[in-house]
Amino acid sequence: MTMFDPDELLALAHLDLNKERYDQALARLKVLMSAQEVPIAAYSMLGRVYAILGLHERAKEALETYLRLRPDVVPEHFHLGMLYRDSGEGEQAMEIWAAVLAKAPNFPPALYHQGLYLLEQGLRHEAIDKLNQILETADPADEHIGMANSLMAEISLQS
C-alpha cells in the first residue's frame, strides 16, 4: 500500500526518470504495475527504464504492452525498434521502423537508424537516400540533421 494515488506515482516516476534516478523511478513503476488499474503511460515509462538498465527483454515486453493499448503512437514504436537493434535483431528493427515511417514518413530518428543499418549492411545508396530524406524534411533544429550530415561526410570519405 502506498500513500500516493496512481497519477501521483506516475508523475513522480516521470520526475525521477527525467532526473536520472532510475532506481526510484523503477520502484514507483513497480508499485503501479501491481495496482488494480495500471495507467497506460506506466508501461511506456517502464520500458524506458528497463532499456536504460539494459534489460532489453523486459523493456520490449513493457513497450509491446503499451503499444497493444496505444497502437498509433510513433515514438514508442521507434524505441521498440531500437531495442530489437540493440539485441542484435536488425531485420526486426527495420520492420518496426518501416511501420513507423508508414505512419510518420519523415520521422528523423527512424530514417537515421534505418540509414545507419543499411550502411552497415553495405547498402550505401539506400542509406544515402534515407539520410537525404532527413536533410530535406527535418526541422533545421533537429539533432538528426547534424547526425545525417556527419554520416554523409563519413560515407563520402569512404568513396
Side-chain angles (χ1 to χ4, degrees), residues 134-146 149:
I134 293 169
L135 298 173
E136 293 166 4
T137 63
D139 182 302
D142 190 295
E143 68 181 335
H144 293 90
I145 294 280
N149 276 323

Side-chain angles (χ1 to χ4, degrees), residues 46-121:
L46 184 62
R48 288 175 52 201
V49 171
Y50 280 147
I52 290 165
L53 297 176
L55 300 170
H56 293 139
E57 292 307 312
R58 289 183 181 192
K60 286 179 200 174
E61 185 180 316
L63 285 178
E64 286 168 349
T65 299
Y66 178 80
L67 290 168
R68 276 193 298 278
L69 299 167
R70 296 268 162 83
D72 293 328
V73 179
V74 169
E76 279 78 1
H77 270 104
F78 167 74
H79 290 297
L80 182 61
M82 288 300 298
L83 286 167
Y84 277 95
R85 175 76 167 107
D86 292 345
S87 298
E89 300 174 71
E91 289 300 318
Q92 180 66 29
M94 288 294 281
E95 289 178 24
I96 292 169
W97 294 330
V100 166
L101 293 170
K103 294 176 187 178
N106 297 315
F107 190 65
L111 289 168
Y112 178 79
H113 286 282
Q114 272 196 335
L116 190 59
Y117 183 77
L118 290 165
L119 188 59
E120 290 168 359
Q121 300 306 307

